Amino acid sequence: MAKLAASSMKLEVFDSSEAVAERAAGILAEVLLDPKRAPMGLATGRTMVAVYQWLVPLLQQAGANALGHWRSFNLDEYVGLGPDDPRSFAAYMARYLGEPLAIPAARMQLPNGLAPNPHLEALRYRQQVQTHGLGLQLLGLGENGHVGFNEPPCEAFAPCRCVELSDATRQQNAAAFGGEAKAVPERAITLGLADILAAEEVLLVVTGANKSSVLRRVLQEPPQQLVPASWLQGHPNCLVLADRPAVCV
């Protein structure tokens, strides 16, 4: 089992990825049903599909009135894709949360991938997030150590911005684009490490043996720009949920 570096990070290990997803969904539900909490920062990707599949029934049991205060901000969006494109993260959020829970799209905020100037859109989105603040930020972990689309090398003070996606990340996300890495957009708008670290809490969800090497670096090595997720060691309230394959090397 991975040994944590000298930081405030906490690690919970489960026997299966489904158990991880169930635990993550329980945490998210508790936060989302509390109207006193700041907006949640949400994430997309394959890891989150199971999390949201566990989360939806928990929130449905609470009833529509319990979600009337919903406001969330997503980590990122591809440049060039809008909500009508099924490959966009806006469409992903609608498919897995918005439609099942009848949440208006206006309450599930993402960067505008169709903005004529993505750099100005990143500035606008960051200001919007800062105005409302983030309570709990949900994160997955990329195989090259990225969180959001903060590709290595990345410093802890990196702000919300338009970024170039690495070949490794485009390959990792190719499944949604017919398996063609070249079809994945070359750029995205992402919240930066500075925005993520400003959240009140961080929940990092990691599953699968393919993440074990990078998770070991996140947990054990000193924070560094070559492993962007390692900057989470400096957050005062960061919980890591992982299955056994992800922590065994």
Side-chain angles (χ1 to χ4, degrees):
M1 185 178 297
K3 180 180 179 182
L4 273 66
S7 74
S8 58
M9 298 176 78
K10 298 177 181 178
L11 172 65
E12 295 182 9
V13 182
F14 298 83
D15 289 333
S16 68
S17 60
E18 279 298 305
V20 171
E22 183 179 9
R23 168 67 169 143
I27 294 172
L28 298 183
E30 183 177 351
V31 174
L32 286 165
L33 291 172
D34 185 351
K36 297 179 182 179
R37 293 297 302 268
M40 181 172 288
L42 294 177
T44 55
R46 292 187 296 274
T47 302
M48 300 307 160
V49 171
V51 174
Y52 294 152
Q53 288 174 339
W54 279 99
L55 177 62
V56 166
L58 294 177
L59 297 179
Q60 287 174 332
Q61 292 172 13
N65 292 337
L67 301 177
H69 62 278
W70 181 295
R71 183 184 294 275
S72 59
F73 292 95
N74 264 69
L75 280 168
D76 41 36
E77 180 59 281
Y78 291 116
V79 170
L81 299 188
D84 293 334
D85 190 315
R87 303 168 301 178
S88 70
F89 292 143
Y92 174 110
M93 294 305 297
R95 180 162 59 251
Y96 290 110
L97 284 184
E99 293 170 3
L101 297 172
I103 300 169
R107 291 190 171 272
M108 302 180 70
Q109 297 293 310
L110 297 92
N112 180 6
L114 298 178
N117 187 324
H119 299 285
L120 290 179
E121 171 60 13
L123 292 174
R124 181 204 68 80
Y125 191 65
R126 187 184 199 207
Q127 184 176 43
Q128 186 180 26
V129 170
Q130 289 179 331
T131 296
H132 293 279
L134 290 177
L136 186 149
Q137 175 64 63
L138 175 66
L139 298 172
L141 178 64
E143 291 182 25
N144 65 355
H146 73 247
V147 285
F149 276 133
N150 292 282
E151 301 277 21
C154 181
E155 296 287 359
F157 52 76
C160 182
R161 65 208 184 283
C162 178
V163 297
E164 299 286 334
L165 301 183
S166 69
D167 291 342
T169 294
R170 294 175 74 199
Q171 183 63 52
Q172 189 176 347
N173 291 1
F177 294 81
E180 293 291 333
K182 292 183 178 179
V184 179
E186 296 180 354
R187 297 188 298 165
I189 297 169
T190 184
L191 289 182
L193 262 298
D195 309 297
I196 292 169
L197 292 171
E200 296 172 2
E201 301 177 58
V202 173
L203 180 63
L204 179 63
V205 181
V206 188
T207 59
N210 61 314
K211 302 290 180 69
S212 62
S213 178
V214 69
L215 180 60
R216 177 187 57 79
R217 300 187 68 189
V218 170
L219 297 177
Q220 297 182 15
E221 296 184 6
Q224 57 187 289
Q225 60 179 345
L226 293 180
V227 186
S230 66
W231 296 117
L232 297 176
Q233 292 181 28
H235 195 282
N237 194 358
C238 178
L239 174 62
V240 183
L241 305 181
D243 61 3
R244 295 200 181 281
V247 297
C248 296
V249 294

